[in-house]
Each structure stands twice: as C-alpha cells, then as structure tokens.
Amino acid sequence: MKKFVAIVGSNSKSSTNRKLLQYMQNHFKKEAQIELIEIKDLPIFKKSKEKTVPERAKEMAKKVEKADGVIIGTPEYDHSVPAVLLSALAWLSYGQHPFVDKPVMITGASYGSLGSSRAQAQLRQVLDSPEIKARIMPSSEFLLAHSLQAFDDNGNLNDKEAAKQLDGLFQDFLKFVEISGKLNNATAANKQKAADFNWEDNK
C-alpha cells in the first residue's frame, strides 16, 4: 500500500481544504495511507547566514522524503496561494530538498465558484522552481467550489459528480506514482542541482 502525506495549505482551524484532505484520507484508506501534515506551527520563512531551519520543518521534510507521494490542498486568497503555504514550501526547500522528483497531486477548495483555480496554477509554478522541482501530476485539477456547502455531516462530499471525478484523479495519481518510481535515474543529480542552486549567484 502506498504511503502519502497530505499538506493542509492553510492555518485556519475550520479550513475546508483540511476537510477535503480528511475526506480523501478516509475515502481512499483501502488504497493508500494518507497522513495529514499541518503547517500552522511553522514560523514565517526567514533566511539566515547559518541557514537555520526550524525542527518542525525538518520533521516535515523527512515525512515528505519518505512518502511515496504528496497531496497538497491549497485555498485561494486574492487569486493566489496563501502566504502561509508559500512560507512552508520555502522552509521545505531551504537547505533541504525533499520534493525533488517527488510525485505531487494538487487539490483545492474555496468558498466561491472558482475552486482555487488560480492558486493551483500558481502553485504548479512554485513546485517547479529550481529548489523544489517536484514532479506534478499533469492535467489533474480538482477544484471544489462552494466548499462551505460541499460536505455532509459525516464529512462526505455532497456532489456525487465531484466525488466521482476525485475518485478518477486519485486512481490516476496512484498510477502516476508508480510510473514516477521508475523515472529515478537522474534524481541524485537533480537533488544536487537543487542543493547547489542560488538565486543570488544566478546571472
């Protein structure tokens, strides 16, 4: 059975993105073990001469490193990825590079009708940056709109069509992870390249 970590891209106590990941954790429990990771305890990213990384960020990086794949649930604030999620990803690419060639599936829930579409597009760009270089599943947007009304009292999705789409995307992700596991010939070199990259020296 595959082991995934799911990053809750919000520090809100009542995040519907957390609810969506919890739904996936329960709904797909016979197909994969999914561990939710919270980012609310991380401090805002800040560079230091010593490249000091919080212990919490190191723990998260180890979990990402060991996982077969990562699921990220992102809200959308002002047409973009929340600052708290960007800060977490910055810590996870600062002196450590667990995302290199790691299969990633992106999901997103929002109160409005767009379902975090712009944030997901931006998140793909961030995950493709030289220090992160994740392997993002293509053509796989899952956009949960009107998320405050999206779940029943048991935490299940009310929209059967949305649930069906998510089922299909998760099956695709399982296959994507399997295929990605065979595309590892350049992973060591890619990790070294990520570790050596420095925007200040890049001309």
Side-chain angles (χ1 to χ4, degrees), residues 18-163:
R18 183 182 296 106
K19 285 186 177 181
L20 175 57
L21 295 177
Q22 288 171 336
Y23 165 79
M24 294 177 68
Q25 183 183 47
N26 182 62
H27 187 67
F28 300 119
K29 61 185 177 183
K30 293 183 179 180
E31 298 162 277
Q33 294 180 15
I34 302 176
E35 178 186 358
L36 266 63
I37 295 181
E38 299 284 352
I39 60 175
K40 56 187 177 182
D41 297 329
L42 282 174
I44 294 298
F45 176 74
K46 183 179 180 180
K47 287 185 176 182
S48 65
K49 291 182 179 179
E50 301 80 13
K51 278 202 170 184
T52 304
V53 178
E55 287 301 316
R56 176 61 180 152
K58 292 179 181 178
E59 293 171 5
M60 289 175 60
K62 289 178 181 178
K63 290 184 177 183
V64 171
E65 186 77 49
K66 292 180 180 178
D68 295 306
V70 178
I71 304 166
I72 302 178
T74 180
E76 181 173 312
Y77 300 153
D78 298 327
H79 290 180
S80 65
V81 178
V84 65
L85 178 54
L86 293 176
S87 177
L89 291 173
W91 281 127
L92 292 173
S93 59
Y94 187 60
Q96 51 185 4
H97 305 279
F99 275 102
V100 173
D101 290 348
K102 184 71 62 176
V104 174
M105 176 182 181
I106 299 174
T107 66
S110 73
Y111 295 172
S113 59
L114 296 178
S116 78
S117 59
R118 292 181 177 90
Q120 289 198 33
Q122 185 187 40
L123 183 55
R124 285 177 176 273
Q125 290 181 314
V126 173
L127 291 171
D128 195 41
S129 63
E131 305 99 318
I132 300 180
K133 219 58 182 169
R135 187 171 284 150
I136 313 149
M137 185 166 75
S139 304
S140 59
E141 277 190 331
F142 181 73
L143 309 171
L144 185 63
H146 306 295
S147 57
L148 286 175
Q149 297 82 37
F151 302 93
D152 64 19
D153 293 338
N154 296 315
N156 295 314
L157 288 173
N158 289 318
D159 189 333
K160 302 304 179 185
E161 287 301 315

